[in-house]
Amino acid sequence: MSNDTQNIIRHWREAVPNDRLAHLIRDASRAFHRALQVRLARHGVPFGHWTFLRILWESDGLTQKELSERAGVMEPTTFTAMKAMEALGYIERKQLPTNKQNMYVHLTDTGRGLKKLLVPLAEETNNVSIEGIAPEDIKTTRTVLLAMIENLARDELRQSATTARRKPGAAAGNKNKADKTDKSADARGNKKAAA
């Protein structure tokens, strides 16, 4: 066990056992990523490519923009990853003759073949994570995490709606300022004309 992992465990068990759940979930997610990253590295696959491969195994032929949205990353990140994955022979990028704007990403045979090699590594990581945990606790954890995701999704919609309602008022406030500025400029212009 690494010192980093020991520090995280000590933090949660001793220092602040009742710290926010968001921090605990983040640390669990980091532990999952590290465990999978070590396994992927044995096969020369960067962790950053894993997310894109998973998406493409399920939906081959997406645009780079669609890949970015599904992966939850910015388009420049996707562009850089796609260039690297193309150089490794995992994907091909193509434009349609009828649509030169979008770049479509397709798995090669090599990229498709990685699924049989890499998915078992992710399954192994998941299995390691639940060792010694009772099946009913795992089921409860899933139920709770899904409920939390749903709660946060609903909250995001509420927050977005609140922000959207505020924007027109802010825009109107800016318009009023612009109108006052225009009137001031007109007044100055009229004074100069009169002089």
Side-chain angles (χ1 to χ4, degrees):
M1 194 178 308
S2 73
N3 280 341
D4 192 31
T5 304
Q6 289 174 344
N7 288 337
I8 289 170
I9 292 169
R10 191 175 311 108
H11 169 83
W12 285 104
R13 292 213 171 129
E14 298 168 14
V16 286
N18 296 315
D19 201 355
R20 290 188 298 267
L21 279 175
H23 295 174
L24 180 60
I25 291 168
R26 183 198 64 218
D27 285 346
S29 179
R30 285 180 179 169
F32 269 110
H33 288 170
R34 280 193 306 271
L36 181 56
Q37 189 170 18
V38 168
R39 288 166 171 79
L40 293 171
R42 287 189 216 132
H43 299 282
V45 177
F47 183 80
H49 296 176
W50 164 253
T51 301
F52 295 113
L53 287 167
R54 264 189 43 213
I55 293 166
L56 290 168
W57 290 328
E58 300 305 317
S59 303
D60 198 13
L62 297 172
T63 65
Q64 286 184 182
K65 182 176 181 172
E66 290 168 328
L67 265 175
S68 295
E69 289 168 357
R70 291 191 188 190
V73 297
M74 302 300 288
E75 286 185 58
T77 302
T78 302
F79 176 77
T80 302
M82 293 304 104
K83 280 179 61 176
M85 291 172 71
E86 192 169 39
L88 291 166
Y90 299 164
I91 61 146
E92 292 176 335
R93 295 182 295 161
K94 300 176 187 174
Q95 290 180 319
L96 296 177
T98 57
N99 184 352
K100 297 283 187 191
Q101 257 186 323
N102 292 328
M103 186 68 73
Y104 293 85
V105 181
H106 297 274
L107 288 166
T108 61
D109 290 340
T110 302
R112 273 187 291 282
L114 286 172
K115 184 175 183 177
K116 289 179 184 168
L117 179 68
L118 302 181
V119 168
L121 302 177
E123 291 169 346
E124 178 185 0
T125 301
N126 278 290
N127 290 335
V128 166
S129 75
I130 59 173
E131 285 177 4
I133 301 174
E136 60 272 11
D137 289 340
I138 295 166
K139 185 177 178 183
T140 299
T141 300
R142 279 184 173 279
T143 301
V144 170
L145 289 172
L146 286 170
M148 291 171 76
I149 291 167
E150 289 171 1
N151 290 342
L152 292 168
R154 274 193 301 276
D155 180 67
E156 182 181 355
L157 289 173
R158 279 192 303 270
Q159 297 302 320
S160 295
T162 301
T163 302
R165 281 194 300 271
R166 287 183 187 157
K167 281 185 181 176
N174 290 338
K175 185 181 182 307
N176 290 339
K177 287 179 189 173
D179 288 346
K180 288 177 186 174
T181 304
D182 289 344
K183 287 176 185 173
S184 296
D186 286 345
R188 284 192 303 272
N190 289 337
K191 285 179 187 175
K192 285 182 185 175

